[in-house]
Amino acid sequence: MVVTNTILLFAPIAKEACRRGMENIVVNIALVLGEIGKAAAGQKMEVPAKIAASCLGEMGNTAAFTRTRKEIIAVIYALGEIGKSVTKQSLGDAANSTAALLGETGKVAAGQNFEDAALNAELLLQEIGSGAIEKNLKETADTSVRLLGDIGKAADRQGLERALLQAVYSLETIKFDAEDRYLVSASIIAEVALMRFESLDIENLESKLNKNFRGKRKFPDID
């Protein structure tokens, strides 16, 4: 109860900070919520972990509405930390809901042309999806794959080539992991998602991106 009440105290502060455009405060709150949620999951406190993720999801929606890239990156990072922790602890309900919030935030980031944020979301979803397969959390694996496909579609619509390519690679990775563990559902969802991108010339796209972005950092610092 103490942990839950502490998390809930952050929600109104975060909303007001978003409304006032206090970017650094919002980023710090997101990172704190991520740490609390991660620690709660590590102690198998599923309810506080879910509440922390839910608060972050609301913050991500607000940040997207105000088009604040730095805040969305922080929210995605924090959701990823919670998602990985609840998955590791086999907290299936929390893992599934956190993966869904992470994926939805990633879709919004792609729609706002925040490619680095979308890339972070894809890589974290891949990690959570693969972890869910290892822990036999079928619903979480399915959710991760489905939302990776959705982020890829959003990236394709916005012309975000790196995010599009990463979506394809992440889907292929999870599809392989799912087949290896005989998780048929996740494998089928990944296969269907990959079919949407069959018309892409992946090799040429990869060559182009390697040439254009060679030596550049993939992700910026949050702070």
Side-chain angles (χ1 to χ4, degrees), residues 53-95:
S54 178
C55 289
L56 285 164
E58 290 184 20
M59 290 174 65
N61 288 334
T62 304
F65 180 75
T66 55
R67 292 186 61 82
T68 48
R69 167 184 160 278
K70 190 175 180 180
E71 293 169 14
I72 290 183
I73 291 174
V75 167
I76 286 172
Y77 173 81
L79 282 170
E81 289 297 292
I82 296 174
K84 288 187 290 183
S85 188
V86 291
T87 300
K88 183 178 180 180
Q89 296 297 332
S90 297
L91 303 177
D93 191 33

Side-chain angles (χ1 to χ4, degrees), residues 72-165:
I72 290 183
I73 291 174
V75 167
I76 286 172
Y77 173 81
L79 282 170
E81 289 297 292
I82 296 174
K84 288 187 290 183
S85 188
V86 291
T87 300
K88 183 178 180 180
Q89 296 297 332
S90 297
L91 303 177
D93 191 33
N96 187 53
S97 61
T98 304
L101 289 166
L102 174 59
E104 291 298 329
T105 307
K107 281 167 57 179
V108 170
Q112 296 281 20
N113 286 322
F114 298 149
E115 187 166 26
D116 46 2
L119 277 164
N120 270 303
E122 289 169 337
L123 290 167
L124 287 165
L125 276 174
Q126 176 186 325
E127 192 168 348
I128 291 169
S130 293
I133 290 167
E134 183 178 344
K135 295 291 184 178
N136 202 36
L137 301 176
K138 297 179 181 179
E139 190 174 2
T140 303
D142 291 353
T143 297
S144 299
V145 173
R146 176 172 54 81
L147 284 162
L148 271 169
D150 289 347
I151 297 174
K153 286 192 293 182
D156 192 20
R157 285 194 298 270
Q158 298 298 116
L160 306 179
E161 294 179 331
R162 288 184 297 159
L164 173 58
L165 190 61

